[in-house]
Amino acid sequence: MQFTDSPELAQLRTEVRDHLTEVMTPERRERIYRSGVSHDKDLIAGLVDRGWFVPPHLAEAVGAPVRTAVEQSAIDAELMYADAPTYLSATTMMVASVIHHAGTDEMKERILGPALGGEVTIALGFTEPESGSDVAAAATRAVRDGDDWVINGSKMFTTNGHIADYVFLLARTDPTVPKHKGLTMFLVPMDTPGCDAQAVWTLSGERTNITFYSDVRIGDEQRIGDVNAGWSVLNIALVDEHASSWGPHLARLLHHAEAWAHEKRVDDQGVTATPIDDPATRRRLARIAMEVEVSDLLQQRCLWMSGNGDMPIAEGPMSKLYSTEALERATEDVVEMVGPDGLRSYLEPTAPEDGMFEQTMRFSLGTTIYAGTSEVQRTIIAQRGLKLPRT
Ligand SMILES: Cc1cc2nc3c(=O)[nH]c(=O)nc-3n(C[C@H](O)[C@H](O)[C@H](O)COP(=O)(O)OP(=O)(O)OC[C@H]3O[C@@H](n4cnc5c(N)ncnc54)[C@H](O)[C@@H]3O)c2cc1C
């Protein structure tokens, strides 16, 4: 068992962290926050140039540097710790994996290279106004017309759908069979006539979208996988999504909470105190430190399983569920510890730690919803991990 970084891995982590410290300038942070969009073309180009962008299982396909899964996980953790704007790249990679598994040679040739070079981006179009957790209930229709497909419907929360080149779209192609069996996946070019994206702003200030598809005509070469085999194609992406970890956000929160706790303050009565001297503060910080550690270990386990060729079917949801609920818990705890000042606005220069406590609090709420809600993750753990009967 190995719990420490090798000198090479430590060196890589330092290189990535130093680079991100340099490029994640206050101006860039503010621009990203105000736009609500987690994507920055220049920043991604910098990662591509350094060979930090393409995951190991896809690197060989496009002649990119092949890293170990442990190295890539360290890079991803640093990106999340720095709060780098990589959400659109993450969804693009998820779909690139699907294309690698289930796409035609022609599609691989056309899409994989540009996507893995950071030039082409792909958003996810699963959720609909009437179906979210029950993703197989999608009602958006794709109807065959000669060599083409004509798509009609709408998708809710298509994050980055307004800037992405493509949406990876789940559509119903046969309404007469049980719901899981009548679905097909498509890669819809968002510049096709009939595609539209309207902004939806979330509590955390993220911009997502409702996307509309009105008589959108695309060629059959945009289909991924067989007709009516969309459920199995989609599941390649969902296993990836369910195995995400949010531990580095928790580690960043801890870092700022510690920084706050070490600062001397003078209260209204002129008494000077340092929060870290208060045992209650130390206990709260210790609890968060433990949760950072558990989040990291759960993610390491997923990595270890994937490395051994096993799918982390229940372990991925454990990692996602634990790290996001811990983030929510810890943020509430920190805001309570800091007091009313902890609710001062993000980027307000006189707010403690630039207002990151209130921003993390708002942000943490969405993390337990997207990429599968906590309830859905618990159901997967119970049914597929513990083999409990369906309720
Ligand atoms: C900021 C943000 C970004 C997102 N980005 C994307 C994106 O890019 N692409 C995309 O396709 N989707 C995206 N989503 C959608 C997200 O995946 C869904 O919100 C999520 O799957 C839940 O679906 P829903 O909102 O329809 O809620 P519902 O499914 O209606 O759920 C409502 C509540 O009921 C619970 N519930 C539902 N079914 C069950 C059940 N069987 N057992 C127990 N409890 C249940 C849920 O856990 C939840 O608490 C995003 C969401 C948010 C908030």
Side-chain angles (χ1 to χ4, degrees), residues 144-149 217 220:
R144 195 80 198 236
D145 184 22
D147 288 340
D148 294 341
W149 291 90
R217 182 174 286 274
D220 191 44

Side-chain angles (χ1 to χ4, degrees), residues 9 12-13 16-17 20 47 50-54 67-81:
L9 190 61
L12 175 65
R13 257 189 226 281
V16 179
R17 195 169 280 207
L20 291 172
L47 301 180
R50 286 165 180 78
W52 295 341
F53 189 63
V54 182
R67 305 200 162 272
T68 64
V70 172
E71 285 171 342
Q72 191 60 43
S73 165
I75 294 169
D76 292 344
E78 289 303 324
L79 287 165
M80 195 181 272
Y81 185 84

Side-chain angles (χ1 to χ4, degrees), residues 59-239:
E60 225 166 290
V62 290
V66 182
R67 305 200 162 272
T68 64
V70 172
E71 285 171 342
Q72 191 60 43
S73 165
I75 294 169
D76 292 344
E78 289 303 324
L79 287 165
M80 195 181 272
Y81 185 84
D83 207 12
T86 56
Y87 187 71
L88 183 53
S89 306
T91 57
T92 301
M93 286 305 160
M94 202 185 289
V95 183
S97 283
V98 175
I99 294 173
H100 182 63
H101 276 93
T104 59
D105 288 345
E106 183 278 327
M107 183 179 270
K108 287 181 195 167
E109 182 83 13
R110 183 162 45 93
I111 307 282
L112 275 189
L116 300 178
E119 291 139 29
V120 154
T121 53
I122 311 172
L124 308 178
F126 310 152
T127 308
E128 296 193 2
E130 300 300 326
S131 60
S133 302
D134 187 8
V135 67
T140 292
R141 285 282 275 132
V143 176
R144 195 80 198 236
D145 184 22
D147 288 340
D148 294 341
W149 291 90
V150 178
I151 300 175
N152 278 289
S154 58
K155 294 283 170 182
M156 189 65 196
F157 298 127
T158 321
T159 308
N160 294 313
H162 64 302
I163 52 168
D165 297 296
Y166 296 92
V167 166
F168 180 52
L169 187 106
L170 174 70
R172 184 151 306 280
T173 38
D174 187 348
T176 63
V177 294
K179 61 182 178 182
H180 292 84
K181 296 190 174 163
L183 299 163
T184 305
M185 297 301 314
F186 297 92
L187 203 56
V188 178
M190 286 306 280
D191 59 0
T192 313
C195 291
D196 188 23
Q198 285 180 15
V200 174
W201 294 93
T202 68
L203 178 67
S204 69
E206 287 168 271
R207 180 195 162 144
T208 176
N209 301 279
I210 176 162
T211 49
F212 298 94
Y213 307 85
S214 309
D215 289 330
V216 172
R217 182 174 286 274
I218 58 170
D220 191 44
E221 73 281 0
Q222 298 304 120
R223 172 167 53 84
I224 307 183
D226 291 338
V227 175
N228 296 331
W231 186 244
S232 56
V233 176
L234 176 68
N235 269 293
I236 303 172
L238 291 185
V239 169

Side-chain angles (χ1 to χ4, degrees), residues 337-360:
M337 174 175 89
V338 175
D341 258 3
L343 288 173
R344 305 231 332 258
S345 300
Y346 186 51
L347 299 177
E348 152 65 48
T350 60
E353 301 300 302
D354 284 337
M356 78 82 68
F357 299 133
E358 80 86 37
Q359 194 268 337
T360 310

